[in-house]
């Protein structure tokens, strides 16, 4: 399983089972972020599985941290936090954002407040990384 390999390489927690992977694969082809449904002319790779809290930010490779999304949303989000992606993506409505949080809470056994806390930490991590990258770039060009 590729994500288990990448989780090990990233040094993050992974409890994703083959059954979890099948569960995700067999969910309807509707983007969890923008709501797009697979069209008749969409290729096999029109949908991806995204780590809501990116593994580069310490997000676990667990079923509760994964969502099926369209290729466009996945590439647009990249390794950004969900909060950042939400703030710059009109199609990730407040209702969809709240549904993601509710689903994460239900699947993980955490409260919505705990999930919100994790998402806030992810966003703060991303902002700190961007600041440090800008600082390094400034040092390199001076």
């Amino acid at each position: 399983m590729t994500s288990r390999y990448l989780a090990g390489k990233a040094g993050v927690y992974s409890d994703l089972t083959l059954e979890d992977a099948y569960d995700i694969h067999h969910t309807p082809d509707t983007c969890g972020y923008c709501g797009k449904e697979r069209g008749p002319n969409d290729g096999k790779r029109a949908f991806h599985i995204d780590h809501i809290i990116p593994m580069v930010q310490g997000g676990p490779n667990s079923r509760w941290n994964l969502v099926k999304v369209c290729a466009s949303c996945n590439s647009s989000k990249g390794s950004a936090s969900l909060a950042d992606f939400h703030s710059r993506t009109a199609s990730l409505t407040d209702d969809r954002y709240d549904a993601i949080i509710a689903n994460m809470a239900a699947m993980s056994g955490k409260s919505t407040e705990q999930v919100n806390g994790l998402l806030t930490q992810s966003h703060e991590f991303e902002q700190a990384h961007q600041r440090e990258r800008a600082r390094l770039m400034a040092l390199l060009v001076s």
Side-chain angles (χ1 to χ4, degrees), residues 118-134:
L118 292 170
L119 293 173
T120 298
Q121 286 179 325
S122 168
H123 186 62
E124 290 169 355
F125 177 96
E126 177 186 25
Q127 290 176 320
H129 179 263
Q130 289 173 354
R131 283 191 303 273
E132 286 301 307
R133 183 168 188 222

Side-chain angles (χ1 to χ4, degrees), residues 99-110:
I100 291 167
I101 293 170
N103 192 47
M104 290 174 78
M107 293 179 99
S108 68
K110 298 178 185 321

Side-chain angles (χ1 to χ4, degrees), residues 59-104:
N61 188 43
S62 296
R63 176 63 185 100
W64 64 268
N65 189 40
L66 298 170
V67 64
K68 189 181 264 191
V69 297
C70 69
S72 177
C73 282
N74 192 38
S75 63
S76 294
K77 179 179 175 276
S79 62
S81 68
L82 186 63
D84 176 69
F85 186 61
H86 178 242
S87 71
R88 61 183 166 83
T89 307
S91 58
L92 178 51
T93 63
D94 290 343
D95 287 344
R96 284 196 184 98
Y97 185 84
D98 292 342
I100 291 167
I101 293 170
N103 192 47
M104 290 174 78

Side-chain angles (χ1 to χ4, degrees), residues 17-28:
T17 65
L18 193 54
E19 291 79 23
D20 292 331
Y22 284 129
D23 179 48
I24 297 165
H25 179 72
H26 291 293
T27 59

